[in-house]
Amino acid sequence: MQELKVKNIIISKQGKESANYKRFLELVKEKKIRVHIAKINEKIEIEKNIKIEILWPTDTLITNNILNNNSLVMKLTYNNFTTLFTGDIEKIAEEEIINKYQKTNKLNSTIIKIAHHGSKTSSIQEFLNLVKPQIALIGVGENNNFGHPNSDVLKRIEDLRL
């Protein structure tokens, strides 16, 4: 937001305040950016044929690692093309999302943005199996201090036969 021109921001309900969140609010106010607090099942039309559906978090927030596990999980749809954005959710959130959507095709997506930079705490096989992506993307810096992406996560992605 400091470097880019931003008009609108979509965020989820915050589970706790942090220094980063306070700075975010200052920048939003200073730059007069519109903030929309998304709710589960909400559909946001970006423009004709492009929409985002909010799949997570629910109204009852997960208290374990509250910031990561209540990250927005959104499905972007453009005609028949879909991308699932997973934020920093971990196994506990993935299991709840599986329980919520396992009897639907809501998670099924052309592309998945792998959760939490490919951390070992995310991307359980059951979750990936429900998404059934053709492409998996991992946002991670080369030689990062966290060892991301985790080799087990890479194996689970490989097991999908992408």
Side-chain angles (χ1 to χ4, degrees):
M1 288 183 348
Q2 293 168 316
E3 308 290 326
L4 302 172
K5 184 173 180 174
V6 176
K7 293 181 183 178
N8 300 291
I9 294 178
I10 300 171
I11 63 171
S12 62
K13 178 177 156 185
Q14 297 300 294
K16 74 174 190 180
E17 297 228 349
S18 65
N20 284 339
Y21 185 65
K22 287 178 184 175
R23 179 64 184 134
F24 163 80
L25 292 176
E26 289 169 6
L27 282 170
V28 160
K29 187 175 181 181
E30 175 186 313
K31 295 182 176 272
K32 297 179 173 104
I33 300 169
R34 283 175 280 189
V35 176
H36 177 79
I37 299 174
K39 293 184 172 72
I40 191 162
N41 299 322
E42 183 176 7
K43 292 181 179 152
I44 302 166
E45 188 169 332
I46 305 300
E47 58 183 61
K48 187 179 179 186
N49 299 323
I50 302 174
K51 70 176 181 185
I52 293 173
E53 183 174 2
I54 307 302
L55 303 177
W56 190 259
T58 63
D59 292 333
T60 305
L61 299 181
I62 295 174
T63 56
N64 182 327
N65 203 351
I66 197 164
L67 295 178
N68 284 357
N69 285 311
N70 298 291
S71 294
L72 276 176
V73 175
M74 306 179 290
K75 186 173 183 177
L76 177 120
T77 302
Y78 173 67
N79 296 326
N80 293 324
F81 172 84
T82 55
T83 301
L84 187 69
F85 295 95
T86 56
D88 279 344
I89 60 170
E90 298 173 326
K91 178 182 178 183
I92 189 170
E94 290 176 347
E95 290 171 338
E96 288 198 30
I97 292 168
I98 289 167
N99 288 335
K100 182 163 183 53
Y101 296 110
Q102 66 187 345
K103 295 181 179 169
T104 74
N105 66 352
K106 286 261 190 205
L107 297 176
N108 188 278
S109 297
T110 311
I111 295 176
I112 184 172
K113 193 288 290 174
I114 294 295
H116 205 193
H117 315 285
S119 168
K120 67 182 177 182
T121 62
S122 302
S123 303
I124 61 175
Q125 194 69 56
E126 297 83 359
F127 185 78
L128 295 172
N129 290 346
L130 275 179
V131 178
K132 300 178 191 145
Q134 295 172 26
I135 299 169
L137 303 174
I138 303 175
V140 64
E142 187 176 14
N143 300 321
N144 63 82
N145 294 334
F146 302 101
H148 295 157
N150 177 268
S151 60
D152 291 339
V153 171
L154 293 176
K155 174 77 169 87
R156 289 194 289 271
I157 293 168
E158 191 175 291
D159 287 347
L160 290 172
R161 308 262 189 270
L162 297 176

